[in-house]
Amino acid sequence: MNNCGKQKRDNRREIGIIIALIAVVIFVISVVASCCANMKKTEIENPVTDATITEAPITEDPVTEPPITESPVTEAPVTEITTTEPIVTEDEPPNHDTPDLSDLEYPFDTISFDWSEETLDGWWHYDIPEDYELTGGYLPDSAQVYAYALCNQYDIDYPMVLALIEAESGYKYDAVSEGGALGYMQIVPRWHSEWLGGILSDDALLNPYLNIEVGVAYLSELSERFDSQDEVLTAYHYGVTGAYRDFWNNGETGSSYSDRVLEIAERIRQELYGIVE
């Protein structure tokens, strides 16, 4: 009888344990189900996109790159005049101041070129107009320096002498006129029959250096007699007698010839020194 009661108590205990285990299992299942439901709800409310939180969205204009404009601030503006091209001013004559003595032929190689710095002081190379070059004109640096030194010696305007050479001979050292005038400065032998104590031949007056020397010395003589360049040039071209007869006796100081030479001289002065008197 006692054994039967004990058996019943043991059976009831086992049933209680089983019921308790079933209850625990049901509780665990309900908790798990509840968690799953919450996670699913979170996914629905906050869907995950392809881009992660750590990746910045890619746009057409990234924040880290400056915007591109038609005129980037790092590029200098382009102007019509660049700084690599020299600009000639009145204080910077365009021609060189060192004589080019290469390739000189007779008769331009007949003098010494041992010039001092004082002789070359203020001298600038002069390019004769192209039209005269095409017709045989030629005035090398050796003749230019020689004329420049003589002008300084006789106190004669150098651009005026270059202009006279252009008007008289077109820069042809061997020019001979119908009236017998010779060389650069169209020296008439009968007016200068003697020079430096001797008689000058036509060949001698065709030497460019002697021709220039005679011409500049004659301009110096005329400058001592007359007051203006108009008068000096008119007398040089027409002779003193012709100047009185055709111009000065009629009340004219100058002539169309002197006007032309002085106009050429101003052009040459501008080319050499960048100034006009």
Side-chain angles (χ1 to χ4, degrees):
M1 186 64 180
N2 290 332
N3 289 335
C4 183
K6 184 179 179 181
Q7 182 67 36
K8 288 181 180 181
R9 285 195 301 270
D10 291 336
N11 289 339
R12 284 197 298 270
R13 186 179 298 129
E14 290 177 357
I15 291 172
I17 293 172
I18 292 171
I19 292 172
L21 290 174
I22 292 172
V24 170
V25 171
I26 292 172
F27 176 78
V28 171
I29 292 173
S30 64
V31 170
V32 171
S34 176
C35 290
C36 290
N38 289 335
M39 290 178 63
K40 186 173 182 180
K41 181 179 180 182
T42 302
E43 290 177 356
I44 293 173
E45 292 178 351
N46 301 298
V48 179
T49 61
D50 292 337
T52 63
I53 296 175
T54 58
E55 295 180 357
I58 299 175
T59 63
E60 294 182 357
D61 297 309
V63 177
T64 56
E65 297 181 4
I68 299 176
T69 62
E70 293 183 359
S71 300
V73 294
T74 55
E75 295 183 3
V78 178
T79 59
E80 292 183 359
I81 300 176
T82 62
T83 56
T84 57
E85 297 181 0
I87 299 175
V88 178
T89 65
E90 292 185 359
D91 297 328
E92 186 180 59
N95 297 338
H96 62 76
D97 59 355
T98 302
D100 181 3
L101 304 177
S102 61
D103 301 326
L104 291 177
E105 298 181 357
Y106 182 85
F108 292 99
D109 59 353
T110 57
I111 65 169
S112 171
F113 305 132
D114 188 20
W115 293 311
S116 66
E117 292 184 4
E118 183 179 356
T119 299
L120 293 173
D121 184 30
W123 175 83
W124 292 94
H125 167 79
Y126 167 62
D127 287 315
I128 69 173
E130 184 178 0
D131 290 346
Y132 291 103
E133 285 187 340
L134 295 176
T135 56
Y138 180 55
L139 190 67
D141 285 354
S142 60
Q144 292 184 32
V145 173
Y146 192 80
Y148 180 77
L150 287 171
C151 286
N152 288 336
Q153 177 183 339
Y154 286 98
D155 194 23
I156 299 297
D157 184 50
Y158 175 59
M160 186 184 74
V161 170
L162 295 181
L164 189 149
I165 292 174
E166 179 174 314
E168 289 285 344
S169 65
Y171 302 103
K172 296 177 183 177
Y173 80 93
D174 55 355
V176 179
S177 73
E178 293 181 359
L182 305 173
Y184 274 141
M185 302 189 73
Q186 290 292 277
I187 303 299
V188 180
R190 67 178 180 273
W191 291 357
H192 308 277
S193 59
E194 294 186 6
W195 184 254
L196 298 179
I199 298 175
L200 294 177
S201 66
D202 290 359
D203 288 341
L205 284 172
L206 285 176
N207 179 284
Y209 303 111
L210 182 59
N211 188 278
I212 292 173
E213 186 171 359
V214 173
V216 172
Y218 183 47
L219 286 172
S220 178
E221 291 179 10
L222 294 174
S223 296
E224 292 177 357
R225 295 180 59 182
F226 305 108
D227 296 329
S228 68
Q229 289 181 330
D230 279 313
E231 293 173 314
V232 169
L233 291 171
T234 300
Y236 184 94
H237 185 69
Y238 296 100
V240 174
T241 301
Y244 273 110
R245 180 186 65 241
D246 298 333
F247 300 98
W248 299 338
N249 289 340
N250 299 326
E252 299 177 50
T253 302
S255 60
S256 59
Y257 173 82
S258 64
D259 290 342
R260 180 189 173 205
V261 173
L262 292 176
E263 182 179 351
I264 296 171
E266 292 310 310
R267 188 203 75 216
I268 293 174
R269 199 184 318 279
Q270 174 68 32
E271 293 179 13
L272 289 177
Y273 311 118
I275 57 175
V276 177
E277 291 186 350

